[in-house]
Amino acid sequence: MFVDEVLAARIEAGEAGLSSSVARGVAAAGAAVAIDPVAGGLAVLARPGLPTNKVAGCGFAEPLDPDALTAIEARWWRDGEPVRFELSTLAAPALHQALLARGYQLEGFEHVLVRRLTAEDATPVL
């Protein structure tokens, strides 16, 4: 199955949603968290060191607002946390270029496998 931009955006939104759910759980325990919209996605900072601290879901619906990213970077750096983007290869090329221009570097690739769900997938397994 080949993924188009619409499906890629849904997958990325799911990843951003998962990170924000973790952050809301951390907030419920009394910690200060930050969940900020950026470039159509979310920048989620729950607690320094968590793997769910990332910017995800960007590059499909909105362009990057450099001022919004500057504010996010300042908050994260103040907390000692590096800003990490997880970008789909199908995100807008302009976002990739803008991040490179700001000094961001590619650290690796993460592949997501998907398949269409069938009626059998909806059958409960006991």
Side-chain angles (χ1 to χ4, degrees):
M1 173 171 152
F2 290 100
V3 175
D4 61 11
E5 288 179 15
V6 173
L7 183 53
R10 287 180 59 200
I11 293 167
E12 291 296 315
E15 183 70 20
L18 175 62
S19 289
S20 65
S21 292
V22 169
R24 286 192 301 276
V26 170
V33 304
I35 303 172
D36 298 298
V38 61
L42 294 175
V44 180
L45 176 61
R47 185 182 68 204
L50 287 182
T52 53
N53 294 338
K54 60 183 146 188
V55 184
C58 300
F60 293 100
E62 299 173 22
L64 177 65
D65 175 352
D67 294 333
L69 182 54
T70 297
I72 290 164
E73 289 167 340
R75 180 181 306 117
W76 288 41
W77 293 337
R78 192 171 47 246
D79 289 344
E81 187 73 7
V83 180
R84 290 177 299 276
F85 275 79
E86 284 192 3
L87 290 180
S88 169
T89 56
L90 296 176
L95 177 57
H96 293 263
Q97 293 302 319
L99 293 174
L100 288 172
R102 291 178 76 98
Y104 286 83
Q105 298 177 352
L106 175 64
E107 290 189 1
F109 293 95
E110 180 179 307
H111 299 283
V112 178
L113 302 176
V114 298
R115 68 177 176 86
R116 294 195 193 287
L117 297 178
T118 66
E120 186 175 294
D121 294 317
T123 304
V125 177
L126 301 175

